[in-house]
């Protein structure tokens, strides 16, 4: 069965501190992994995909197939990073099929 | 750019009724996907349509159906509504079925 687990419902960090949002997945095939973000009063939007191997707004995520993880990291948190973050899993292309429950990141000034 | 538009924004129905939700994709986008987001959970994939054909279906009962029109807009239909169908229904569009998706604001459906 396809499953995405985000163990933290809420993560609070101070501005300038490193951030790591955890994501573990369960999938028998070759997964496509995504991070989506929803800022306050905005729509859900794609932050990054594992196949792009890019850094968006200072965030990076590496797919670790051995640990079945796709943690989202940023070395120095900023107040504008405060948002709801969802990890998602798909099987091909850009269509996420299963989302985690989300982690609310709060960056404290 | 108006983005993905969904209607209505809110809807209240009773058990056993049926409902139709509508989605207009971004201009030029030919693929539409539907998601259900129950309170406290992440979105769950229901359907994807591309060029008016079903490209994918999630693990939802046959009470859920959808279609895509020649202008690429889409409808999601749910029959015999259950209390558990109460959720935010999100629509997302993309240029093709393999391009990044853009989400709408959703339709909040409440079942009494």
């Amino acid at each position: 069965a396809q499953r995405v687990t985000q163990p933290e419902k809420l993560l609070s960090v101070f501005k300038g501190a490193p951030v790591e949002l955890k994501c573990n997945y369960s999938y028998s095939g070759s997964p496509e992994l995504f991070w989506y973000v929803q800022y306050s009063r905005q729509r859900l939007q794609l932050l990054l995909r594992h196949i792009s191997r890019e850094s968006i707004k200072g965030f990076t995520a590496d797919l670790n197939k051995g640990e079945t993880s796709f943690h989202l990291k940023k070395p120095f948190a900023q107040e504008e990073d405060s948002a709801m973050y969802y990890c998602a899993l798909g099987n091909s292309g850009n269509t996420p099929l299963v989302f985690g429950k989300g982690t609310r990141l709060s960056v404290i000034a | 750019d108006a983005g993905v538009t969904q209607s209505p924004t809110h809807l209240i129905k009773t058990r056993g009724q049926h409902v139709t939700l509508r989605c207009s994709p971004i201009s030029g986008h030919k693929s539409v996907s539907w998601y259900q987001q129950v309170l406290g959970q992440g979105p769950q994939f229901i359907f994807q349509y591309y060029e008016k054909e079903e490209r994918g279906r999630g693990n939802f009962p046959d009470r859920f159906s959808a279609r895509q029109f020649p202008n690429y807009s889409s409808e999601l239909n749910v029959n015999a509504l259950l209390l558990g169908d109460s959720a935010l229904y999100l629509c997302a569009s993309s240029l093709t079925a393999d391009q990044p998706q853009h989400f709408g604001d959703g339709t909040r459906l409440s079942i009494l």
Side-chain angles (χ1 to χ4, degrees), chain A residues 43 86 94-97 99-100, chain B residues 4 35 37 42-43 48 98 103 105:
Chain A
R43 300 175 176 187
Y86 293 96
N94 275 288
T95 304
L97 303 179
F99 285 73
Chain B
V4 176
Y35 294 84
Q37 186 172 18
Q48 183 181 45
D98 295 326
F103 282 82
D105 288 326

Side-chain angles (χ1 to χ4, degrees), chain A:
Chain A
Q2 301 171 1
R3 186 178 297 125
V4 175
T5 302
Q6 294 181 250
E8 302 137 332
K9 197 171 181 178
L10 173 66
L11 182 65
S12 297
V13 301
F14 286 102
K15 178 182 173 182
V19 175
E20 183 178 48
L21 300 172
K22 290 183 168 42
C23 172
N24 288 91
Y25 66 90
S26 173
Y27 186 64
S28 57
S30 183
E32 298 283 344
L33 274 298
F34 311 85
W35 276 99
Y36 280 79
V37 61
Q38 188 164 26
Y39 300 102
S40 178
R41 288 185 287 278
Q42 293 188 26
R43 300 175 176 187
L44 191 63
Q45 58 184 285
L46 178 66
L47 181 61
L48 53 80
R49 308 180 293 155
H50 89 271
I51 59 174
S52 299
R53 301 190 64 80
E54 55 194 347
S55 173
I56 304 295
K57 299 184 179 182
F59 284 97
T60 59
D62 291 318
L63 178 60
N64 185 324
K65 291 187 177 181
E67 296 182 357
T68 60
S69 68
F70 188 56
H71 303 327
L72 184 67
K73 299 177 183 179
K74 184 170 183 176
F76 307 104
Q78 300 174 313
E79 288 179 75
E80 54 265 33
D81 296 329
S82 294
M84 192 73 171
Y85 290 81
Y86 293 96
C87 182
L89 169 71
N91 56 11
S92 66
N94 275 288
T95 304
L97 303 179
V98 178
F99 285 73
K101 292 184 180 182
T103 297
R104 183 167 297 283
L105 174 65
S106 177
V107 180
I108 306 164

